Amino acid sequence: MASRGVNKVILVGNLGNDPEIRYMPSGSAVANITIATSESWRDKATGEQREKTEWHRVALFGKLAEVAGEYLRKGSQVYIEGQLQTRKWQNQQGQDQYTTEVVVQGFNGVMQMLGGRQGGGQGQGMGQQQQQQGNWGKPQQPAAAPQQNFAPQQQQQQAPQQQAPQQPQQQYNEPPMDFDDDIPF
Amino acid sequence: MASRGVNKVILVGNLGNDPEIRYMPSGSAVANITIATSESWRDKATGEQREKTEWHRVALFGKLAEVAGEYLRKGSQVYIEGQLQTRKWQNQQGQDQYTTEVVVQGFNGVMQMLGGRQGGGQGQGMGQQQQQQGNWGKPQQPAAAPQQNFAPQQQQQQAPQQQAPQQPQQQYNEPPMDFDDDIPF
Amino acid sequence: MASRGVNKVILVGNLGNDPEIRYMPSGSAVANITIATSESWRDKATGEQREKTEWHRVALFGKLAEVAGEYLRKGSQVYIEGQLQTRKWQNQQGQDQYTTEVVVQGFNGVMQMLGGRQGGGQGQGMGQQQQQQGNWGKPQQPAAAPQQNFAPQQQQQQAPQQQAPQQPQQQYNEPPMDFDDDIPF
Amino acid sequence: MASRGVNKVILVGNLGNDPEIRYMPSGSAVANITIATSESWRDKATGEQREKTEWHRVALFGKLAEVAGEYLRKGSQVYIEGQLQTRKWQNQQGQDQYTTEVVVQGFNGVMQMLGGRQGGGQGQGMGQQQQQQGNWGKPQQPAAAPQQNFAPQQQQQQAPQQQAPQQPQQQYNEPPMDFDDDIPF
DNA sequence: TTTT
DNA sequence: TTTT
C-alpha cells in the first residue's frame, strides 16, 4: 500500500458511552465509540467560565476493536490515532448524507488506554494498596494486558536477537516500566 | 483557554480547487479549501492497481486564511495542522445536517506550503530567471516568501492593539513569541 | 515568528522521576522531566515476552513548567507535544557533547496530565466514593483541575504586561485566545 | 508487538546532504539522512531578522531506506514520521556517548517526498511546459520520473529584498538552506 | 475536485 | 453522551 499525502488524526479524550461492537461476516470485529474532547475558557464579556465539547465518532477494526470492546467503557480515557474518512449514505428520504469518522485500522491505527491502574503517587506518600482501579472496564478474560498498540506486530522481526527474559504483566496492567532502571541521563 | 484532551488533525495533500475566501463582519478572513489525500495499493484478488482518494474540508481563519487566499491554488501541496470540528446546520427541508471540518486557527493551527517556489540551486550555479513557478499561486505582493507557520501571527489580528514590547522568552536566545512581527505579510 | 518545516514530537508515557524545577533569572520556570515509552513483543524464536523502554528528556518552560512542578510526580502519565532540540555543550574534558531534548514551550507546546482523578468505571458498578486519587501529585493549592493545555497561558508569562482586552476571535462564539485567563493557576 | 505509551516524531524539512545508504548482512537497507527545520523571527531588540535551524538525524530502514536512497537528494523536501531513539556508544576515549535519532521503520514509519510534480499554477495561467524538474533525485530506473519544485524561500525570507538572479536548478535539486553551515554531526 |  |  502506498499513499500520497498524510491523513492523520490524534485524539485524547473520554468515551461518551460504552463501545458498540459488531462483527463482520468474516468474523472480524468493528467497534464504534464516541470520544469527547473539550476546551474551556473564561468569557471576557461576561466573566463566566465557558466550555465547548467536541464529539468524535471513532471506528476501530480488527484486534483493536476487540480490545476496545473488552476494556473500554463509558468514561474511559483513551489515546487514538487514526485517519479521517467520510462515508456517504442515504437517509430514509433517499437523500445523500455524509458522515465523517476517525478510522482506526491496520498499521497506522493506534489505540491506547490511558490512566491505567494509577501510577504515580509515591511522591505523595500514597500507599499503593489504597489505589483503586482506574480507567478501564473489567476484562472478560482476566488474561492479557489491554494497553496496547497492535499495529506493529512486525516489529518483532526487526530485533530478533534481543533475548532478555521478562516477567508476566499484571492483570491491571501495571506500568511495565522499571523506574529504578538506569535512566541513561 | 484550557483544554481537556487532544484534538489534532495532520494533513498533507493537494488542493482540489482554488481557495474560497470570505470576510467576517469584523474584517477577519476565512478560507475554505478542500484537500485530497490518497492511498493506492495492488488488489490481491485482481492484481489491479487501485486508488482511493479522501477529500477533506479545511477552514482557515485569520492570517492563515489570508495567506491561503494569496498563495494557494488548485493543486497546491500543503501541510495542515488543525482540529476536528463538526457543525450542525439545517438543509432546506429543515433537517439537521452535520458537517465535519478541519479548523486551522489560533495557536495550534499550522499551514505550510510545500514544494516551494522552485528555487534553490544557488549552490548548483543556477540562475533564477530559469526557475519556474512552483506549487504556490502568484502573490499579490511580489515580495516575501510565503512558506511559514503563521499561527502566532494570527494573534496579531485578534488583538492588534497589543503593542507592548516583549522580552525574550528565555536567555537562550530562542525565537521569542513575536506577535508584532510584520513579516512577511 | 515563522517557521519553515515542521518539528513536532508527541509522547505519551510515565515520568521516571519527580520533575526538577529551576528558575531563570527572569523568574520564569523550567521543568526537566524524563518520560518512558516502551514496547513489548513476543520473541518469535524463543517465545519469550520481551520489552524495550525508551527514555526521553523533556524540558518544559514557563507556565507549563510550573504546572509540571506542582502536579506531576514520578510515575505520572502524561501527554506531551513539543519539538526536538539538540544542545551542544562541553564536558569536563572540554569535548563537545550533544544532548537532544523535547522542548515544550510557547504556542506549540502541550502538556496534559492523563488518567485524571479516576473516572470511568461506573459502567462497571464501581462506586465513585471508592475511587481514589490518581495519576497526579497533590497540588499545593487545593483549587482547580490541572488537566489542561496550558500553551496559551504561557503567553501570559512572556508578556505579563499585556492587559488589553481582546475581542472574540470570531462571531461563532469560539474560545478566544484568552491569555488573561486566570484559571486554574 | 505492543506498546505502552506513544513515541512519535513528525518532521517536514529539507535534506542537508544526499542520503547515506548501507546494507545489513541480511541485505536489508539502512539510510541515514539529516533534515533541517528552521524558524525565523525578527529580533525585537535589534530589529534584525534572525533564524535558527535545527538539524535532525533520521535513520530509515528497509524499503523506505531503499526509496530514500533512490529518490532523495540534498535539498529534497520530505515528510517524516518516526520515533525517537537514543543510542549509547563509546568514543575513542572509551567514554559513553548518546545519540538521539528519529527512526523510521516498520508500520509506524512514514516517509513522503514532497513537492512532487508541481501543482498549482493553472489558476495563474502558467504553462506547464515551463516547469522544471523538482525536488527528488533521478531514479535509477527511468520508470518513476519525479519532477518538480523547490524552495529557496528561506533565503528570500531572510532577506526578502533580495532580487538578485539565481542560477538554474540542477537535476539533483539544490538546498534552499545554507548547507555549508556547521551541521552539528 | 487534487496529486502520482 | 464523557471528563474536569
Side-chain angles (χ1 to χ4, degrees):
Chain A
M1 217 249 309
S3 60
R4 262 195 68 78
V6 173
N7 174 0
K8 180 171 290 289
V9 180
I10 291 171
L11 300 175
V12 173
N14 300 81
L15 273 71
N17 280 302
D18 287 354
E20 294 172 10
I21 313 294
R22 57 197 173 81
Y23 293 86
M24 315 290 279
S26 66
S28 169
V30 182
N32 288 286
I33 61 178
T34 56
I35 295 180
T37 59
S38 60
E39 301 179 279
S40 62
W41 68 97
R42 186 169 301 282
D43 187 299
K44 279 303 176 195
T46 68
E48 287 165 9
Q49 188 68 13
R50 303 217 37 204
E51 177 169 319
K52 184 186 170 195
T53 294
E54 190 70 35
W55 287 98
H56 309 271
R57 286 173 172 274
V58 178
L60 303 105
F61 290 85
K63 194 68 186 170
L64 287 173
E66 295 174 28
V67 176
E70 258 182 69
Y71 293 97
L72 295 183
R73 292 293 176 270
K74 179 179 177 176
S76 296
Q77 191 181 33
V78 71
Y79 172 94
I80 286 289
E81 198 173 316
Q83 56 183 9
L84 277 179
Q85 215 162 281
T86 298
R87 287 185 293 108
K88 186 183 184 177
W89 52 282
Q90 295 193 326
N91 64 13
Q92 293 157 326
Q93 287 78 40
Q95 297 166 309
D96 288 343
Q97 303 282 321
Y98 297 89
T99 296
T100 300
E101 291 172 314
V102 177
V103 172
V104 183
Q105 185 179 32
F107 303 129
N108 297 322
V110 177
M111 190 275 284
Q112 295 248 334
M113 286 166 281
L114 301 175
R117 191 225 193 165
Q118 294 328 319
Q122 294 125 302
Q124 296 302 117
M126 292 270 289
Q128 187 145 346
Q129 68 287 354
Q130 291 178 285
Q131 297 179 9
Q132 296 303 323
Q133 72 284 30
N135 185 36
W136 314 329
K138 193 172 190 177
Q140 255 77 309
Q141 307 106 298
Q147 189 161 11
Q148 307 220 357
N149 165 3
F150 288 96
Q153 276 131 350
Q154 179 165 310
Q155 169 63 10
Q156 235 168 332
Q157 282 151 291
Q158 297 172 229
Q161 67 277 25
Q162 295 177 353
Q163 298 291 352
Q166 255 183 293
Q167 62 261 57
Q169 254 182 312
Q170 286 189 346
Q171 84 189 85
Y172 282 148
N173 202 21
E174 243 358 60
M177 292 152 242
D178 187 348
F179 293 120
D180 305 345
D181 266 0
D182 312 76
I183 304 182
F185 41 73
Chain B
M1 216 246 312
S3 60
R4 263 192 68 77
V6 173
N7 175 0
K8 181 173 290 290
V9 180
I10 291 172
L11 300 175
V12 174
N14 300 81
L15 274 70
N17 280 303
D18 288 354
E20 294 172 9
I21 313 294
R22 58 198 172 82
Y23 292 88
M24 315 292 280
S26 66
S28 170
V30 182
N32 288 286
I33 60 178
T34 55
I35 295 180
T37 58
S38 60
E39 299 179 280
S40 62
W41 67 96
R42 185 167 302 283
D43 187 298
K44 285 293 179 202
T46 68
E48 287 165 8
Q49 189 68 14
R50 302 214 39 203
E51 177 169 321
K52 183 185 170 195
T53 294
E54 190 71 36
W55 288 97
H56 309 271
R57 286 172 172 274
V58 178
L60 303 105
F61 290 85
K63 197 68 186 171
L64 287 172
E66 295 174 27
V67 176
E70 257 181 71
Y71 291 97
L72 295 183
R73 293 292 176 271
K74 180 178 178 177
S76 296
Q77 191 181 34
V78 72
Y79 172 94
I80 286 290
E81 199 173 316
Q83 55 183 9
L84 277 180
Q85 215 162 280
T86 298
R87 287 186 292 109
K88 186 183 185 176
W89 52 282
Q90 295 194 326
N91 65 12
Q92 292 157 328
Q93 288 79 40
Q95 298 166 311
D96 288 344
Q97 304 283 321
Y98 296 89
T99 296
T100 300
E101 290 172 314
V102 177
V103 172
V104 182
Q105 183 180 34
F107 301 124
N108 296 322
V110 177
M111 190 274 282
Q112 295 245 336
M113 288 166 279
L114 301 174
R117 249 216 193 112
Q118 300 311 349
Q122 295 127 298
Q124 296 299 118
M126 303 273 261
Q128 180 152 350
Q129 66 289 354
Q130 292 178 281
Q131 296 177 11
Q132 295 307 323
Q133 74 289 19
N135 185 36
W136 314 330
K138 193 174 190 176
Q140 256 75 312
Q141 306 106 299
Q147 190 161 12
Q148 308 223 1
N149 169 0
F150 289 95
Q153 283 155 340
Q154 175 148 335
Q155 169 60 10
Q156 226 173 334
Q157 172 167 331
Q158 295 169 230
Q161 68 276 30
Q162 293 181 352
Q163 295 295 348
Q166 285 183 271
Q167 62 264 54
Q169 161 89 343
Q170 27 162 339
Q171 62 191 160
Y172 294 151
N173 206 1
E174 293 288 324
M177 301 302 133
D178 197 347
F179 296 127
D180 307 355
D181 217 332
D182 58 345
I183 47 106
F185 309 96
Chain C
M1 216 244 314
S3 61
R4 262 192 65 77
V6 173
N7 175 0
K8 179 171 290 291
V9 180
I10 290 171
L11 300 175
V12 173
N14 301 81
L15 272 71
N17 280 302
D18 288 353
E20 294 172 9
I21 313 293
R22 57 196 172 83
Y23 292 88
M24 315 291 280
S26 66
S28 170
V30 183
N32 289 286
I33 60 178
T34 57
I35 294 180
T37 58
S38 61
E39 301 179 278
S40 63
W41 66 96
R42 185 169 301 282
D43 188 297
K44 283 295 181 201
T46 67
E48 287 165 7
Q49 188 69 12
R50 303 228 31 221
E51 177 170 321
K52 184 187 172 194
T53 294
E54 190 71 35
W55 288 96
H56 309 271
R57 285 172 174 275
V58 178
L60 302 105
F61 290 85
K63 197 68 184 172
L64 286 173
E66 295 175 26
V67 177
E70 259 181 69
Y71 291 97
L72 296 182
R73 292 293 175 273
K74 178 178 177 178
S76 296
Q77 192 182 33
V78 72
Y79 172 95
I80 286 290
E81 199 173 316
Q83 55 183 9
L84 277 178
Q85 216 163 278
T86 298
R87 287 185 294 109
K88 185 184 186 176
W89 52 283
Q90 295 192 325
N91 65 12
Q92 292 158 326
Q93 288 78 40
Q95 297 167 310
D96 288 342
Q97 303 284 321
Y98 297 90
T99 295
T100 300
E101 289 172 316
V102 177
V103 173
V104 182
Q105 183 180 33
F107 302 126
N108 297 322
V110 177
M111 190 274 282
Q112 296 246 335
M113 288 167 280
L114 301 175
R117 255 218 191 109
Q118 290 332 319
Q122 294 126 300
Q124 295 303 117
M126 293 271 286
Q128 188 145 346
Q129 69 286 355
Q130 292 178 284
Q131 297 179 9
Q132 296 302 324
Q133 72 280 42
N135 184 35
W136 315 328
K138 192 173 190 176
Q140 256 75 312
Q141 305 107 296
Q147 189 160 10
Q148 308 227 358
N149 170 359
F150 290 95
Q153 284 154 338
Q154 177 148 336
Q155 170 60 10
Q156 226 172 334
Q157 171 167 334
Q158 297 168 229
Q161 66 277 33
Q162 293 181 353
Q163 295 295 347
Q166 285 183 271
Q167 63 263 54
Q169 161 89 342
Q170 26 164 340
Q171 63 193 155
Y172 293 151
N173 208 0
E174 293 288 323
M177 300 303 134
D178 197 345
F179 295 128
D180 307 356
D181 218 335
D182 58 345
I183 47 105
F185 311 94
Chain D
M1 214 250 315
S3 59
R4 261 193 69 81
V6 173
N7 174 0
K8 179 170 291 290
V9 180
I10 291 172
L11 300 175
V12 173
N14 300 79
L15 273 71
N17 281 301
D18 288 353
E20 295 172 9
I21 313 293
R22 57 198 173 82
Y23 293 87
M24 315 290 278
S26 65
S28 169
V30 183
N32 289 286
I33 60 178
T34 57
I35 294 181
T37 58
S38 60
E39 300 180 278
S40 63
W41 68 96
R42 186 170 301 282
D43 187 298
K44 279 301 174 194
T46 68
E48 286 166 9
Q49 188 68 13
R50 303 215 38 202
E51 176 169 321
K52 184 186 171 195
T53 294
E54 191 71 35
W55 288 96
H56 309 271
R57 285 172 173 276
V58 178
L60 302 105
F61 290 84
K63 194 67 187 170
L64 286 173
E66 295 175 27
V67 176
E70 255 182 72
Y71 291 99
L72 295 183
R73 293 293 176 272
K74 178 178 177 178
S76 296
Q77 191 181 33
V78 73
Y79 171 95
I80 286 290
E81 198 172 316
Q83 56 183 8
L84 278 178
Q85 215 162 280
T86 298
R87 286 185 295 109
K88 185 183 185 175
W89 52 283
Q90 295 192 325
N91 64 13
Q92 293 158 327
Q93 287 79 40
Q95 298 167 310
D96 287 343
Q97 304 282 321
Y98 297 90
T99 296
T100 300
E101 290 173 315
V102 177
V103 172
V104 182
Q105 184 179 34
F107 300 124
N108 295 323
V110 176
M111 189 275 282
Q112 295 248 333
M113 288 168 282
L114 301 176
R117 189 227 194 158
Q118 282 341 305
Q122 294 127 298
Q124 295 302 118
M126 298 281 267
Q128 186 148 347
Q129 69 287 354
Q130 293 176 285
Q131 296 178 9
Q132 298 299 328
Q133 77 277 32
N135 184 37
W136 310 332
K138 192 173 190 177
Q140 256 75 312
Q141 304 104 307
Q147 324 155 349
Q148 106 23 21
N149 101 59
F150 197 60
Q153 298 96 338
Q154 176 152 330
Q155 236 85 10
Q156 253 172 310
Q157 176 167 328
Q158 285 176 257
Q161 65 277 29
Q162 278 184 353
Q163 295 297 345
Q166 287 183 286
Q167 37 261 81
Q169 231 181 335
Q170 279 197 359
Q171 79 193 101
Y172 282 154
N173 198 23
E174 239 13 52
M177 291 160 238
D178 187 355
F179 291 127
D180 298 332
D181 269 358
D182 312 75
I183 303 181
F185 41 73

